[in-house]
Amino acid sequence: MPTVGLDIGGANIKAASHCGKAKTIPFAMWKHPHRLSEQLVKISSGFNPQARIAVTMTGEMADCFASRTVGVRHIVACVLEAFPDKEVSFFGSDGTWLSSNDAASQPLRLAASNWRALAQWVANRVDGLTLLCDIGSTTTDLIMVKPNCVETNSISDLDRLLSGELVYTGIERSSVNGLLQFVDANGQRYPIVNEYFASTADVYTVLGSLPANENCLETCDGRPRTILNCKIRLLRCIGTDLDHDTNALAVAIAESTFKAQCRLVADAIAKRVRFFDDQSLTSVVLSGHGDFLCQSALQLAGLDVPLVSLIDQMTPELSRVAPAYAVANLAEYYFEAS
């Protein structure tokens, strides 16, 4: 039976078939949790209508939910409402599968499980100790894997934050003021305003690592993600406006933010590698549309090992939805073997 994997996040919903079709739609869970079912129906259109559904998630962390338990149960209920006639299975953060009957009664086994799906899928394909570095719009996952084994004792996001396997920084939704305190330019040190005026989406749009998107309104001020608007938002971070004299300063803020974020990820990578310092790292697998940031961070960390980029092995679209693709393939293997 064909399988469609769903990765239900707090800012995006991602879908992939086990044979490689990919789809992403933005969805602000914290604003519209009541619309989740209709969005799931929307994203599943165009896939095989006979496919089973395999689900992984992180959207339970959205602050519209009183707790992760409430969030998981809401997501499970919406999945079952969207697909009442389909076989649905849920992938847990412990690497096991739960039926739809068990999912709502054991919610914390499902919370923040998408990293585990991707890590297990990668582990099934490596020959030695490998670092999986997955950078998305919001977070960075740094997971060590060995052949057929995910090298972690972590189950929850709290576990992973404490171990350094989860770094809450990404290439779209991280705030500039959370990464920078000041920027040096034109012989002057400019303090950064402690306000959510600009995000890393503005940074990487200005630097050309992300495409401008006039249809994207999920920005700090609700205006489109054009290069002009991104520069305006960046300059608000130092309390000024865009004009001929400040245009270069907007680029300097973007470059400084990139360097700070690169250092943050590089330090986290070095910490994970030191934890396994008695073993030889054979490769690094890069995943997510923050691939470029990870490559720069690896250079900064001085890690000289072979890199395997999922963007090179797949399409960029499929790499961006890698956890959804992973959970679809894990389901195919598990249920066909059963």
Side-chain angles (χ1 to χ4, degrees):
M1 178 187 296
T3 303
V4 172
L6 294 176
D7 178 13
I8 303 172
N12 299 280
I13 304 174
K14 301 171 184 178
S17 66
H18 74 281
C19 54
K21 182 175 181 178
K23 194 173 180 180
T24 303
I25 58 173
F27 177 63
M29 180 82 78
W30 69 96
K31 292 182 180 178
H32 312 292
H34 57 285
R35 294 182 53 199
L36 178 57
S37 292
E38 67 181 67
Q39 295 299 307
L40 292 173
V41 171
K42 176 182 175 181
I43 199 170
S44 65
S45 65
F47 289 94
N48 189 325
Q50 305 303 316
R52 74 163 61 89
I53 303 294
V55 180
T56 186
M57 67 182 74
T58 59
E60 78 288 337
M61 279 287 288
D63 58 12
C64 58
F65 302 124
S67 67
R68 291 177 299 141
T69 293
V70 171
V72 170
R73 286 178 173 157
H74 176 81
I75 291 170
V76 169
C78 288
V79 170
L80 299 181
E81 180 183 350
F83 309 110
D85 301 320
K86 291 184 181 291
E87 179 184 339
V88 180
S89 299
F90 297 84
F91 190 78
S93 57
D94 58 358
T96 61
W97 289 94
L98 282 79
S99 68
S100 55
N101 289 332
D102 294 333
S105 64
Q106 303 178 58
L108 293 183
R109 286 180 62 190
L110 301 181
S113 56
N114 72 343
W115 66 273
R116 183 65 185 245
L118 179 58
Q120 188 60 62
W121 180 76
V122 170
N124 294 347
R125 285 157 178 77
V126 299
D127 297 322
L129 185 67
T130 297
L131 173 64
L132 167 63
C133 181
D134 179 48
I135 303 182
S137 60
T138 309
T139 60
T140 295
D141 291 312
L142 301 172
I143 312 297
M144 286 290 190
V145 300
K146 288 181 178 178
N148 303 308
C149 179
V150 180
E151 290 288 292
T152 183
N153 294 318
S154 297
I155 298 295
S156 68
D157 274 353
L158 177 57
D159 295 336
R160 299 195 305 125
L161 283 166
L162 291 171
S163 69
E165 294 166 309
L166 172 62
V167 186
Y168 240 90
T169 198
I171 63 164
E172 291 188 25
R173 291 176 45 79
S174 296
S175 62
V176 169
N177 63 302
L179 290 162
L180 280 185
Q181 291 184 313
F182 55 83
V183 58
D184 291 319
N186 306 326
Q188 178 73 43
R189 172 161 288 189
Y190 299 88
I192 296 294
V193 174
N194 191 19
E195 180 59 83
Y196 187 42
F197 280 144
S199 73
T200 45
D202 299 311
V203 167
Y204 294 118
T205 302
V206 167
L207 296 180
S209 300
L210 289 177
N213 184 353
E214 292 187 355
N215 297 317
C216 177
L217 302 179
E218 289 295 331
T219 58
C220 296
D221 59 8
R223 295 184 176 89
R225 204 179 79 201
T226 63
I227 291 177
L228 175 63
N229 285 334
C230 290
K231 287 181 177 180
I232 289 171
R233 286 188 286 266
L234 288 170
L235 287 165
R236 281 201 192 102
C237 294
I238 58 168
T240 193
D241 304 306
L242 179 63
D243 56 37
H244 176 75
D245 294 328
T246 60
N247 184 70
L249 190 51
V251 176
I253 296 169
E255 290 173 342
S256 294
T257 307
F258 165 64
K259 290 177 183 177
Q261 192 173 37
C262 191
R263 168 53 64 189
L264 177 65
V265 176
D267 289 347
I269 288 171
K271 177 182 176 182
R272 293 308 299 151
V273 172
R274 284 197 302 271
F275 187 79
F276 291 84
D277 63 1
D278 60 333
Q279 303 176 58
S280 297
L281 189 67
T282 61
S283 64
V284 176
V285 172
L286 309 179
S287 176
H289 62 308
D291 177 295
F292 64 89
L293 174 60
C294 191
Q295 293 195 47
S296 296
L298 287 165
Q299 271 192 320
L300 189 59
L303 204 58
D304 185 20
V305 294
L307 304 183
V308 178
S309 172
L310 294 188
I311 288 180
D312 295 336
Q313 295 197 339
M314 308 173 173
T315 63
E317 294 78 16
L318 195 56
S319 174
R320 181 165 184 177
V321 303
Y325 180 63
V327 80
N329 279 275
L330 291 173
E332 278 286 304
Y333 176 80
Y334 178 81
F335 291 105
E336 293 304 321
S338 300

